[in-house]
């Protein structure tokens, strides 16, 4: 599912390609699940000018010169496309050819007066397209929390918000009323970098843990956006690279400091999360420096060993 960095990539793609351009034609696919307003209302955008593309959390919308704003949510596998330009690349999904137009599974297409073509696609149909005359009053926007890229709160305010939450810290991070735009991979990465266990109760976190979470949330999101959500450019020490791997993750730390870790859909062999940094080597995952070497581990799962290691968390 696209999270804040991927959605920000989509926003920037549209901002660079469509800003200050007039829509000369609109095509709408026959999909009432994704397109939640009548096709005629979307086609009425013809002749309007896109002033800018805006984002908060995972919500996107085009600010127009007049009339309602088209709103978008990319769902699980939705993507923005601009003809001739590379679109969002999902892990384990075939990359779209920017020369193929319209893109497969397209839902709406805007043709601009200068010849630029924009489309949104969604193969799994969890995305949404709508119109709004008052974006910030929409139910999906009214209860949004802070955006870690656009409006990261001060650490004192961050701590106060956590102090009011009695749930597990990962569940809190995934709550869009707390941190808009954070999803599974960002939450897992932040917790790993901050050395905070995903099942720790939010309001019981130590001041140092809160500061670490605040710092790493800002840094992970900022770094991912700096490289336009291109996973190949993420620091190679990030947990992200091991989320879909079958081999256990050693993390560059001594083998005796590792244990099986389950983070929602992710199961990797990672440092015990009580070590944010290897004090011997000075290695810190966020710095992106080459990790120290450690003995190779067996890539095959040993169920008895895994169950034994999991007792650490009980």
């Amino acid at each position: 599912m696209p999270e804040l960095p991927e959605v920000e990539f989509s926003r920037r793609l549209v901002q660079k390609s469509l800003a200050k351009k007039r829509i000369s034609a609109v095509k709408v696919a026959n999909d009432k699940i994704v397109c939640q307003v009548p096709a005629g209302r979307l086609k009425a955008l013809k002749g309007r000018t896109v002033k800018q593309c805006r984002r908060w959390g995972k919500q996107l919308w085009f600010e127009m010169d007049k009339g309602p704003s088209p709103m978008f949510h990319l769902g699980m596998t939705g993507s923005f496309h601009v003809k001739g330009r590379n679109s969002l690349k999902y892990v384990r999904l075939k990359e779209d050819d920017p020369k193929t137009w319209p893109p497969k599974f397209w839902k709406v297409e805007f043709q601009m007066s200068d010849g630029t073509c924009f489309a949104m696609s969604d193969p799994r149909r969890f995305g949404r397209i709508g119109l709004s005359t008052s974006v910030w009053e929409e139910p999906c926007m009214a209860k949004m929390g802070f955006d870690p890229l656009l409006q990261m709160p001060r650490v004192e305010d961050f701590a106060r918000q956590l102090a009011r939450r009695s749930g597990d810290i990962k569940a809190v991070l995934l709550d869009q009323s707390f941190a808009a735009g954070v999803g599974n991979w960002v939450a897992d990465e932040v917790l790993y970098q901050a050395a905070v266990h995903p099942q720790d109760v939010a309001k019981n976190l130590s001041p140092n843990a809160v500061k670490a979470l605040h710092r790493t949330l800002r840094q992970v999101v900022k770094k991912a956006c700096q490289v336009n959500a291109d996973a190949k450019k993420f620091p190679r020490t990030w947990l992200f690279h091991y989320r879909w791997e079958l081999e256990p993750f050693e993390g560059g730390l001594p083998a005796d400091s590792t244990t099986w870790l389950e983070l929602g859909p992710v199961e990797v062999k990672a440092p015990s999360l009580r070590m944010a940094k290897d004090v011997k080597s000075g290695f810190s995952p966020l710095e992106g420096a080459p990790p120290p070497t450690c003995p190779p581990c067996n890539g095959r799962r040993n169920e008895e060993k895994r169950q034994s290691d999991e007792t650490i968390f009980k």
Side-chain angles (χ1 to χ4, degrees):
M1 180 179 184
E3 302 180 27
L4 191 156
E6 291 86 0
V7 180
E8 175 62 14
F9 166 85
S10 300
R11 186 201 69 80
R12 293 176 182 179
L13 176 65
V14 169
Q15 181 67 21
K16 292 178 182 178
S17 305
L18 304 190
K20 300 182 180 180
K21 296 181 181 180
R22 181 174 57 84
I23 300 173
S24 60
V26 179
K27 296 180 180 180
V28 183
N30 183 22
D31 190 331
K32 294 182 180 180
I33 294 177
V34 177
C35 302
Q36 297 199 314
V37 293
R41 292 188 61 195
L42 287 171
K43 291 180 179 179
L45 293 170
K46 178 181 177 180
R48 308 283 173 80
T49 297
V50 177
K51 294 175 63 177
Q52 62 178 325
C53 182
R54 301 188 63 186
R55 179 196 60 78
W56 192 269
K58 301 177 187 178
Q59 298 291 336
L60 289 155
W61 68 96
F62 295 177
E63 191 174 285
M64 311 299 287
D65 60 337
K66 60 180 178 179
S69 296
M71 294 189 69
F72 305 87
H73 191 287
L74 299 180
M76 294 292 291
T77 54
S79 185
F80 279 179
H81 304 262
V82 173
K83 188 176 182 179
R85 301 193 63 172
N86 292 327
S87 57
L88 185 62
K89 174 68 172 68
Y90 287 99
V91 175
R92 290 190 171 182
L93 288 183
K94 184 178 179 181
E95 191 169 2
D96 294 307
D97 183 352
K99 296 180 181 179
T100 300
W101 201 264
K104 196 174 182 181
F105 306 113
W106 71 277
K107 302 303 175 185
V108 67
E109 179 187 357
F110 294 164
Q111 297 178 6
M112 313 307 287
S113 56
D114 70 341
T116 303
C117 293
F118 159 84
M120 175 184 164
S121 68
D122 186 8
R124 295 190 64 184
R125 303 174 72 198
F126 286 104
R128 296 293 181 263
I129 302 171
L131 288 171
S132 177
T133 55
S134 183
V135 170
W136 291 104
E137 294 180 6
E138 292 292 327
C140 62
M141 297 290 293
K143 295 182 180 180
M144 283 274 197
F146 65 85
D147 185 294
L149 183 66
L150 301 176
Q151 196 181 70
M152 187 69 189
R154 297 179 306 167
V155 66
E156 296 84 2
D157 297 327
F158 185 75
R160 279 193 287 270
Q161 291 186 47
L162 286 178
R164 297 194 293 266
R165 301 280 183 148
S166 58
D168 294 350
I169 183 57
K170 181 175 178 181
V172 171
L173 290 175
L174 293 177
D175 187 342
Q176 299 301 290
S177 68
F178 177 76
V182 174
N184 263 307
W185 85 253
V186 171
D188 291 344
E189 193 66 53
V190 169
L191 291 167
Y192 170 65
Q193 304 293 355
V196 174
H197 193 284
Q199 292 179 332
D200 283 350
V201 176
K203 67 180 182 180
N204 293 341
L205 292 176
S206 69
N208 286 339
V210 170
K211 290 178 182 178
L213 275 176
H214 182 270
R215 180 181 66 254
T216 55
L217 176 56
R218 182 179 61 231
Q219 290 177 338
V220 166
V221 168
K222 182 178 179 181
K223 179 62 178 179
C225 291
Q226 281 178 344
V227 298
N228 289 318
D230 185 346
K232 294 180 181 179
K233 296 180 181 179
F234 291 172
R236 71 182 184 88
T237 52
W238 277 21
L239 181 67
F240 182 94
H241 299 295
Y242 301 87
R243 289 174 57 86
W244 293 275
E245 297 296 333
L246 295 177
E247 297 297 310
F249 173 42
E250 297 176 52
L253 295 175
D256 59 2
S257 71
T258 61
T259 185
W260 282 101
L261 170 67
E262 295 189 28
L263 300 175
V266 185
E267 185 175 336
V268 294
K269 194 174 185 182
S272 63
L273 290 183
R274 297 308 174 189
M275 296 177 66
K277 194 169 188 177
D278 181 352
V279 294
K280 294 181 180 179
S281 65
F283 164 64
S284 177
L286 271 175
E287 293 171 1
T293 59
C294 64
C297 61
N298 187 350
R300 298 182 181 275
R301 178 178 300 182
N302 185 312
E303 186 64 20
E304 292 182 0
K305 178 64 166 62
R306 185 175 75 90
Q307 292 177 355
S308 174
D309 285 339
E310 285 177 345
T311 60
I312 293 174
F313 298 130
K314 294 183 179 179

